[in-house]
Amino acid sequence: MVIIMGVQYFEGREHRYVDYPVTDVLQMMGHACRPALDDRSRCVLMCQQTRKDFYKKFINEGLPIESHLATHMLHDYFLAEIAVKTIENKQDAMVRCHSSSEITSSDSRY
């Protein structure tokens, strides 16, 4: 069992409390389980009422994964795809470009 006694730390330089990144909270929660020994685990997360709804929603629904392929790295991406034979011709490359642009343009958050 892991008990997380708060989701903020004091930032001395700015003299204010700052939320831990969600990834850090997830890592703390992950320490509740020892995969080789436990078949289930528990984590108690204590936070302010104002943050409670965020963490409840995050734990139950998660956050969407966002990805961005930097245009200056595009040649590396295509060379890797060609090397593993995911892209074998110009048509494959065009399909790959079109399908990835559809994903980001159809996302309602953008």
Side-chain angles (χ1 to χ4, degrees):
M1 175 183 248
V2 169
I3 300 173
I4 302 173
M5 297 286 295
V7 292
Q8 293 181 328
Y9 64 95
F10 185 74
E11 174 59 57
R13 290 186 194 146
E14 298 178 18
H15 301 289
R16 66 185 182 105
Y17 285 93
V18 179
D19 287 341
Y20 283 117
V22 174
T23 54
D24 288 358
V25 175
L26 281 175
Q27 184 176 15
M28 290 182 233
M29 293 169 77
H31 287 289
C33 183
R34 301 170 298 174
L37 303 172
D38 302 329
D39 59 343
R40 60 185 160 159
S41 61
R42 292 182 186 234
C43 177
V44 177
L45 177 62
M46 297 181 181
C47 62
Q48 294 85 2
Q49 186 66 31
T50 56
R51 303 297 292 153
K52 182 180 175 183
D53 291 333
F54 168 77
Y55 282 104
K56 280 176 90 173
K57 183 175 181 176
F58 175 74
I59 290 168
N60 292 326
E61 296 176 21
L63 292 175
I65 296 174
E66 295 184 15
S67 177
H68 176 71
L69 181 61
T71 55
H72 70 280
M73 303 278 294
L74 201 55
H75 61 281
D76 290 338
Y77 168 74
F78 276 108
L79 288 175
E81 294 293 326
I82 291 167
V84 296
K85 300 199 185 299
T86 305
I87 295 176
E88 294 183 340
N89 54 44
K90 185 178 175 181
Q91 183 62 32
D92 291 344
M94 296 303 291
V95 168
R96 180 65 62 129
C97 282
H98 181 69
S99 64
S100 23
S101 66
E102 274 185 0
I103 293 169
T104 55
S105 64
S106 66
D107 193 336
S108 62
R109 291 170 305 183
Y110 297 107

